[in-house]
Amino acid sequence: AQSVTQLGSHVSVSEGALVLLRCNYSSSVPPYLFWYVQYPNQGLQLLLKYTSAATLVKGINGFEAEFKKSETSFHLTKPSAHMSDAAEYFCAVTVNAGKSTFGDGTTLTVKP
Amino acid sequence: NAGVMQNPRHLVRRRGQEARLRCSPMKGHSHVYWYRQLPEEGLKFMVYLQKENIIDESGMPKERFSAEFPKEGPSILRIQQVVRGDSAAYFCASSPSLGAGTGELFFGEGSRLTVL
């Protein structure tokens, strides 16, 4: 069985500051890993995905994530936060292209 | 290209009534997933279906909840005799057939159920 832990249910940064959202996973087989973003009253949109190719994955809106097998981590980063980045972010793990298991989410607040 | 379509977007029911939520997957997608999101919580897997088959229903409550994905028409999540604890956002997602994708899910905008 797979699982995901997102450390920190709320993260607050100033506009222009580094964004770091943490995700650790557990999986008995090589996983596919994803970050999704959810804006209020909307569905989830894919930010980026790791599918066993390059360990540093670049996504939309300037976000990127690095797969570290030794640390079972897949942290999401963005060098400079923008007000429009305020949203809820979910890390997810999938094995064998089946169902995805999601973390509890991290709410990102960006202060002016 | 139409994305995943869910309706209704908002549904209000009184305790004991039935709720039916519909989901049309993206064109060309044959896999449908239902997730529930309670207030201030993450997404919890409920059920995974292919056309006319339930593949994994390990997240479905044993009673009152059912799901189907018929050969023709949308997938339907049915909740009988709703209770206040069923109030949540229900999200549908779809994906291509196995082997044609990498596990990425395409989400609808959700159906928000309120039970009075």
Side-chain angles (χ1 to χ4, degrees):
Chain A
Q2 66 264 30
S3 66
V4 171
T5 301
Q6 291 185 239
L7 300 174
S9 58
H10 291 84
V11 170
S12 181
V13 300
S14 297
E15 191 173 20
L18 171 72
V19 175
L20 171 61
L21 305 182
R22 300 178 187 274
C23 172
N24 287 89
Y25 71 92
S26 172
S27 173
S28 57
V29 298
Y32 296 147
L33 294 163
F34 306 84
W35 276 99
Y36 291 86
V37 61
Q38 184 182 31
Y39 298 101
N41 298 315
Q42 294 187 24
L44 279 70
Q45 304 170 34
L46 183 71
L47 270 180
L48 48 80
K49 60 183 178 182
Y50 167 75
T51 57
S52 76
T55 56
L56 181 62
V57 181
K58 295 187 183 299
I60 62 172
N61 301 337
F63 284 92
E64 62 182 37
E66 186 171 8
F67 172 69
K68 292 187 177 180
K69 184 178 179 180
S70 61
E71 299 177 8
T72 61
S73 69
F74 191 57
H75 301 331
L76 181 71
T77 61
K78 181 174 180 177
S80 175
H82 192 272
M83 297 297 290
S84 61
D85 294 327
E88 188 156 20
Y89 292 80
F90 292 93
C91 183
V93 60
T94 304
V95 298
N96 301 324
K99 71 182 184 187
S100 291
T101 299
F102 286 80
D104 287 339
T106 298
T107 300
L108 175 65
T109 301
V110 182
K111 299 175 292 186
Chain B
N1 287 330
V4 177
M5 303 300 292
Q6 289 189 249
N7 69 81
R9 290 292 309 279
H10 300 274
L11 183 63
V12 178
R13 285 288 180 265
R14 297 190 180 279
R15 282 178 296 170
Q17 292 184 319
E18 178 179 287
R20 284 192 181 217
L21 310 178
R22 295 173 186 78
C23 170
S24 296
M26 283 186 70
K27 186 176 181 181
H29 287 189
S30 58
H31 296 218
V32 166
Y33 309 77
W34 286 94
Y35 286 82
R36 177 165 63 176
Q37 185 177 35
L38 294 168
E40 305 299 321
E41 293 189 17
L43 276 77
K44 303 302 180 187
F45 170 78
M46 299 182 75
V47 63
Y48 163 29
L49 311 103
Q50 295 177 27
K51 285 284 188 182
E52 300 184 282
N53 285 306
I54 295 175
I55 306 303
D56 182 344
E57 57 180 346
S58 57
M60 286 280 271
K62 298 302 180 188
E63 297 179 349
R64 301 189 298 108
F65 285 72
S66 62
E68 63 176 3
F69 189 16
K71 186 176 181 180
E72 301 291 337
S75 175
I76 295 174
L77 179 66
R78 181 184 180 200
I79 311 172
Q80 295 178 290
Q81 300 175 325
V82 296
V83 301
R84 288 207 175 117
D86 296 332
S87 296
Y90 292 83
F91 288 94
C92 174
S94 70
S95 68
S97 58
L98 284 176
T102 53
E104 173 186 349
L105 297 180
F106 296 80
F107 281 86
E109 294 198 327
S111 292
R112 284 158 180 80
L113 173 65
T114 300
V115 180
L116 302 178

